[in-house]
């Protein structure tokens, strides 16, 4: 026989939890870091896409003999 119990937490218990919140300056600095990181990821994906296009173009030219001078 198996039993399952559904545990609940009351709003009162949640209100008693002390969550430390960093100062707004630290929050803003963290947000700026995340924003910068997101931009780096976007640029990296764009660069990879461009590199793939260039690689495929060079590969095609190598098979057709266009790279030989």
């Amino acid at each position: 026989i198996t039993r399952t119990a559904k545990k609940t937490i009351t709003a009162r218990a949640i209100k008693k939890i002390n969550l430390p919140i960093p100062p707004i300056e630290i929050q803003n600095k963290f947000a700026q870091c995340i924003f910068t990181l997101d931009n780096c990821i976007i640029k990296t994906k764009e660069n990879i896409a461009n590199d793939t296009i260039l690689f495929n173009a060079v590969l095609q030219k190598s098979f057709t003999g266009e790279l030989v001078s």
Side-chain angles (χ1 to χ4, degrees), residues 4-59:
T4 58
K6 184 176 178 183
K7 299 204 178 214
T8 59
I9 186 166
T10 65
R12 179 177 290 156
I14 291 174
K15 288 178 183 178
K16 289 182 181 179
I17 297 172
N18 186 16
L19 294 175
I21 300 174
I24 193 68
E25 296 83 14
I26 294 175
Q27 293 179 46
N28 289 335
K29 188 172 182 177
F30 179 78
Q32 184 61 43
C33 289
I34 296 300
F35 179 78
T36 302
L37 182 60
D38 282 342
N39 285 337
C40 289
I41 291 169
I42 290 168
K43 286 291 185 189
T44 299
K45 287 180 179 181
E46 290 172 356
N47 289 337
I48 289 171
N50 290 335
D51 289 348
T52 301
I53 292 168
L54 290 173
F55 175 77
N56 289 334
V58 171
L59 190 62

Side-chain angles (χ1 to χ4, degrees), residues 54 56-69:
L54 290 173
N56 289 334
V58 171
L59 190 62
Q60 181 65 31
K61 287 181 184 249
S62 70
F63 284 132
T64 60
E66 294 178 53
L67 292 180
V68 180
S69 46

